[in-house]
């Protein structure tokens, strides 16, 4: 035999993958005239290694792509990696600091050179890991978010938006990281719970609360809700004098609906320079804004004696000064609130008003239909009108909530790694600063200085679905207009819009919506037709996998050598559903390694049969088992196909699992031994391997190649199988046989005896298949009798009038042991019920222990019901 007894994945997987590459299996062909299927791979950060989350998205997208090829489509799964501007920049600056230097000392050109060297090696590691997962991506079209062609697309988009008045440079409040000295986007901010002191201060006739007294030096506005009756005597614009940190100030009353009357005293002062909410209030009322804290987190001259001090150092000293003035009303040292930090460097965010580049999301733009609408309205309409479908649909609500609250998007960053802003400045003859924005530098560069900032990574990745499809060589011809570039790009014409965007639900708002925004604006097309959102992969206990809990992290690259890629892939698919997080542990991997072994053993059995009985002719069913297996395989062929098309991956896999394990391995292979049909057995194996291939590409292709199936074609290129005809009546007769055999097995296992005599009264099915029933139910014999059943146990799950003869001794022994079990169950239920009925136990015992007791009680009650049902059934003997 060609197939060894045990399947060792590492002996086959590298060679199988290389065979796919050598034969161009993954390479799309836009001139093929086939219907197209396209996925743009969300580009993972090139600095990292594969996480279990990466493994999930690679598996889901690979299933879609392999299934699309099997459906006769020209499938393009376009791979890529992200330059990961912020994390890469942070790593490089840290490296330079360890060397005793910084980016300003070595200069921008040297900094970029060093960074390219670093990410180049890291990128190759990531790509190798993707291949190890079996990703059938078109590597001939590998893209990188800093490719020259993509850089042109970035500059084209920026310039067009600027010329249309959609991009502007202005001073607005941003998330500022003092550690990395850059703005960061909202999605790069995470909130960490912190216990601190909440202070209540006297502020003129009012009391105000804050956890950050160091920001209050410039506070000269007190804000309250216009409907708050407690402060009805104060009118908007009223002024009053108040003693404050550095002496008396003149303060102004502002009425604004943003204030929550239920929080604190219902009155607050605002610090417009250092709070997003306060900035918006100041913008609405045209209030002054003063900077209190510099970009390094130190206090400015407005702080008086505290000038130059770090805010954390100054805080207690400021409070002490206010206390000496009698202005401290209350101090709550157990105040819980969340602190905004940069998820990359963990620096505490200090909001600042900065001169930055922004996208105006409310300014009207002419859309692809000639209608004048804002980006907000476009983002709403593509989902409302059904142009784009979000899966699961419950995320529509989240999507629209985000769009409704959309603010202008800050797209500039104060780092050097990334797409540099295509803007240049110089001072004109009149002393005014001139600004030039263009795809290329000014024709005469003398006197012009380029903007030092780079663009937010999300800006370049927002162009991902179409910027990757333009002709990469033609993009270097700047005499070719952008419109002509799109027209002359075969991949763009063939594969855009893409079919589906598969990504995590957590970046629906930060990436998916921005792709819709930029793609519709630049191409007049939606970027994708469907958005499939997968959930997070959590640890087995339901908590987030974390480096602080090393035991909770499952490294896919450690799993593959031990269990094989297919076991990992199928473990990830088990129970996956759109938008829902899943718990994941070692048990899933082991179960799916066993499934791979089941497929292998099924193939070994088939190989053994075919060696001695070569298959000839077309596969046609003859026995009842043949007709039944053709019916079952044909049913699941259609169902699994439809479920993959509609993104029900777990359901499709579950059907495949039970079809192979239960129907074919446990039933058909055993039944086929009684009446061999080599041609049909081969058809069953080939069909099952074909539909298993999207889920388990390596083991299925290995068997296919080792056994030279399908006229030696590559399984990855094989079309979805066709069904063959069967006799439904004969298939249903085998279902009856299954019922007889299954019930007989259950009774024998319950009563714990071997052998046995099965009697029936003129059952044609039982008579015609006596040998098969005897063998599969492990009986001594089957007997046809005219007499009615006088003793034994009737088989109730069919209408064939069959019964199993058993001795009175077997029945008595079973009943006696069952009565003992029932008594033990009732005793256990009484003990736990009494414990839970005791209020002192429920109140004082650890919550975990009480929960375990309740779960144990439910388990015992369930077991009692099942045992009583069995007992009453067999007591009638």
């Amino acid at each position: 035999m060609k197939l060894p007894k045990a399947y060792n994945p590492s002996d086959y997987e590298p060679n199988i993958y290389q065979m796919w590459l050598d034969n161009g299996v993954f390479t799309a062909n836009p001139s093929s005239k086939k219907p197209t299927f396209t996925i743009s791979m969300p580009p993972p950060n090139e600095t990292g290694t594969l996480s279990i989350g990466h493994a999930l998205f690679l598996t889901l997208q690979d299933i879609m792509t392999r299934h699309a090829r099997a459906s006769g489509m020209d499938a393009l799964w376009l791979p890529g990696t992200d330059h990961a501007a912020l994390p890469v920049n942070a790593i490089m600056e840290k490296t330079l600091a360890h060397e005793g230097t910084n980016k300003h000392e070595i200069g921008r050109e040297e900094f970029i050179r060093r960074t390219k060297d670093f990410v180049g090696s890291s990128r190759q590691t990531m790509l190798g890991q993707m291949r190890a997962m079996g990703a059938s991506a078109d590597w001939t079209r590998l893209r990188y978010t800093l490719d020259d062609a993509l850089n042109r697309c970035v500059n084209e988009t920026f310039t067009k938006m600027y010329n249309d008045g959609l991009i502007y440079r202005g001073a607005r409040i941003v998330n500022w990281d003092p550690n990395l000295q850059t703005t960061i986007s909202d999605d790069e901010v995470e909130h960490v719970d912190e216990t601190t002191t909440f202070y209540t201060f006297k502020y003129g006739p009012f009391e105000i609360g804050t956890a950050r007294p160091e920001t209050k030096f410039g506070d000269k506005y007190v804000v309250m809700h216009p409907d708050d009756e407690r402060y009805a005597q104060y009118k908007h614009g009223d002024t009053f004098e108040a003693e404050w940190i550095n002496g008396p100030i003149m303060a102004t009353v502002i009425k604004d609906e943003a204030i929550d009357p239920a929080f604190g005293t219902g009155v607050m002062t605002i610090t417009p320079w250092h709070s997003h909410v306060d900035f918006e209030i100041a913008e609405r009322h045209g209030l002054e804004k003063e900077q209190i804290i510099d970009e390094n987190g130190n206090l400015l001259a407005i702080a008086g004696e505290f000038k130059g001090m770090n805010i954390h150092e100054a805080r207690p000293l400021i409070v002490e000064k206010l206390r000496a003035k009698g202005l401290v009303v209350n101090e709550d040292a157990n105040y819980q609130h969340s602190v905004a930090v940069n998820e990359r460097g963990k620096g505490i965010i200090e909001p600042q008003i900065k001169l930055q580049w922004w996208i105006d999301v409310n300014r009207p733009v002419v859309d692809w239909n000639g209608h004048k609408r804002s980006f907000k309205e476009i983002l709403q309409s593509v989902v409302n009108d059904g142009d784009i479908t979000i899966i699961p649909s419950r995320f529509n609500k989240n999507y629209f909530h985000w769009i409704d609250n959309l603010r202008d998007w800050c797209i500039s960053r104060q780092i050097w790694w990334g797409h540099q802003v295509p803007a240049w400045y110089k001072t004109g003859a009149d002393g005014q600063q001139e600004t030039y924005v263009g795809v290329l530098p000014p024709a005469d560069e003398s006197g012009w200085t380029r903007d030092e900032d780079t663009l937010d990574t999300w800006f370049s990745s927002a162009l991902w679905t179409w910027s990757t499809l333009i002709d990469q060589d033609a993009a270097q011809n700047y005499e070719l207009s952008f419109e002509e570039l799109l027209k002359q790009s075969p991949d763009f014409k063939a594969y855009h819009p893409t079919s589906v965007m598969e990504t995590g639900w957590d970046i629906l708002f930060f990436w998916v919506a921005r792709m819709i925004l930029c793609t519709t604006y630049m191409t007049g097309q939606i970027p994708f037709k469907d958005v499939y959102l997968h959930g997070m992969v959590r640890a087995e206990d339901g908590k987030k996998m974390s480096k602080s809990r090393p035991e909770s992290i499952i490294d896919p690259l450690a799993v593959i050598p031990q269990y094989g890629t297919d076991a990992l892939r199928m473990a990830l698919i088990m129970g996956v559903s759109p938008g829902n997080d899943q718990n994941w542990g070692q048990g899933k991997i082991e179960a799916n390694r066993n499934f791979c072994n089941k497929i292998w053993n099924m193939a070994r059995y088939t190989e053994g049969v075919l060696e001695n009985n070569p298959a000839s002719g077309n596969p046609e069913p003859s026995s009842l088992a043949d007709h039944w297996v053709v019916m079952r395989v044909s049913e699941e062929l259609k169902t699994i196909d439809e479920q993959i098309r509609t993104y029900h991956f777990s359901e499709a896999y579950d059907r495949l699992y039970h079809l192979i394990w239960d129907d074919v391995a446990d039933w058909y292979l055993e039944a086929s031994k009684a009446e061999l049909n080599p041609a049909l057995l081969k058809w069953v194996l080939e069909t099952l391997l074909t539909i298993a291939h999207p889920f388990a590409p390596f083991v299925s292709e290995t068997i296919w190649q080792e056994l030279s199936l399908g006229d030696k074609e590559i399984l990855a290129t094989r079309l979805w199988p066709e069904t063959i005809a069967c006799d439904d009546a004969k298939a249903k007769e085998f279902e009856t046989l299954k019922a007889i055999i299954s019930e007989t097995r259950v009774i024998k296992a319950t009563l714990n005896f071997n052998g046995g005599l099965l009697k029936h009264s003129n059952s044609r099915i039982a008579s015609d298949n006596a040998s098969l029933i005897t063998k599969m139910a492990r009986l001594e014999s089957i007997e046809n009798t005219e007499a009615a059943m006088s003793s034994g146990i009737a088989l109730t799950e069919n209408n064939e009038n069959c019964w199993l003869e058993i001795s009175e001794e077997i029945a008595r022994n079973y009943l006696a042991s069952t009565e003992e079990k029932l008594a033990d169950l009732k005793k256990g239920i009484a003990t736990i019920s009494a414990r839970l009925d005791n209020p002192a136990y429920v109140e004082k015992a650890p919550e975990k222990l009480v929960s375990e007791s309740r779960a144990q009680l439910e388990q015992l009650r369930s077991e009692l019901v099942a045992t009583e049902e069995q007992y009453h059934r067999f007591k009638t003997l």
Side-chain angles (χ1 to χ4, degrees), residues 436-679:
Y436 169 84
V437 170
V439 177
L440 295 171
D444 178 9
E445 295 190 53
S446 61
W448 290 98
T449 301
R450 189 165 185 177
D451 195 310
E452 288 278 314
D453 288 355
T454 54
L455 291 165
D456 179 11
T457 305
W458 295 111
F459 186 85
S460 54
S461 60
L463 320 180
W464 187 244
T465 63
W466 59 269
S467 62
T468 53
L469 294 175
I470 65 166
D471 188 303
Q472 302 293 288
D473 293 328
Q476 305 311 308
N477 178 9
Y478 283 88
E479 293 181 1
L480 196 66
S481 71
F482 176 72
E483 291 73 18
E484 286 300 316
L485 178 60
L486 290 181
K487 290 178 183 178
Q488 294 185 25
S489 297
D491 281 358
F492 178 78
K493 290 188 288 186
Y495 301 116
H496 203 271
T498 61
S499 305
V500 58
M501 171 50 62
E502 190 284 326
T503 190
W505 60 261
D506 53 327
I507 58 173
L508 168 65
F509 325 113
F510 304 115
W511 188 37
V512 173
R514 286 167 177 169
M515 281 193 283
I516 297 171
L517 182 152
C518 291
T519 303
T520 54
Y521 172 72
M522 289 299 289
T523 71
Q525 297 179 359
I526 54 175
F528 29 70
K529 297 167 187 173
D530 293 334
V531 177
Y532 178 91
L533 302 171
H534 66 249
M536 290 176 60
V537 182
R538 296 185 175 275
E540 202 161 10
D541 58 6
K543 297 180 181 178
K544 189 174 181 180
M545 292 185 184
S546 171
K547 292 180 180 178
S548 63
R549 298 191 306 143
E551 74 283 356
S552 71
I553 297 178
I554 295 179
D555 179 1
L557 298 177
V559 169
I560 289 174
Q562 184 177 1
Y563 296 96
T565 301
D566 293 333
L568 171 63
R569 289 167 59 110
M570 292 186 290
L572 285 164
I573 293 303
M574 286 181 70
V576 70
S577 58
N580 292 328
D581 297 345
Q582 61 167 312
N583 299 349
W584 208 72
Q586 203 76 10
K588 280 190 174 184
I589 309 173
E590 293 171 353
N592 283 282
R593 177 190 57 187
N594 294 341
F595 183 51
C596 288
N597 291 335
K598 178 65 74 170
I599 296 173
W600 187 261
N601 290 333
M602 176 183 68
R604 290 187 74 248
Y605 168 76
T606 304
E607 181 188 18
V609 171
L610 296 179
E611 281 182 347
N612 300 315
N613 305 274
S616 60
N618 293 325
E620 295 181 357
S622 55
S623 67
L624 297 184
D626 288 346
H627 285 279
W628 174 78
V629 79
V630 168
M631 178 194 72
R632 287 293 301 121
V633 170
S634 298
E635 287 174 346
E636 298 303 353
L637 265 176
K638 296 175 183 177
T639 303
I640 292 171
D641 179 47
E642 178 62 21
Q643 287 180 330
I644 296 177
R645 289 179 191 277
T646 55
Y647 311 112
H648 292 87
F649 303 108
S650 178
E651 293 89 336
Y653 172 63
D654 188 62
R655 285 184 171 274
L656 172 70
Y657 182 95
H658 290 292
L659 174 66
I660 290 177
W661 195 297
D662 300 340
D663 294 340
V664 175
D666 285 358
W667 285 102
Y668 179 65
L669 296 188
E670 290 300 314
S672 71
K673 295 174 183 177
E675 189 175 340
L676 288 176
N677 186 340

Side-chain angles (χ1 to χ4, degrees), residues 270-340:
I270 59 172
T271 309
W273 199 285
H274 300 288
S275 162
H276 288 278
V277 174
D278 294 4
F279 176 83
E280 291 173 359
I281 293 174
E283 285 284 279
R284 280 195 292 274
H285 299 284
L287 309 180
E288 294 179 10
K289 309 173 185 73
E290 293 181 87
Q291 187 174 5
I292 313 298
I293 303 166
D294 69 13
E295 295 175 359
N296 298 308
N298 299 323
L299 291 167
L300 293 169
I302 191 175
E305 65 197 83
F306 305 103
K307 175 187 174 182
M309 294 181 66
N310 181 271
I311 55 177
H312 300 292
E313 176 189 358
R315 183 181 297 175
L317 301 178
I318 295 167
V319 172
E320 184 56 39
K321 184 174 183 180
L322 288 167
R323 187 180 291 114
K325 289 189 173 191
L327 299 179
V328 177
V329 178
N330 188 46
E331 299 177 56
D332 179 3
N334 296 311
Y335 178 61
Q336 297 284 331
H337 75 143
S338 62
V339 178

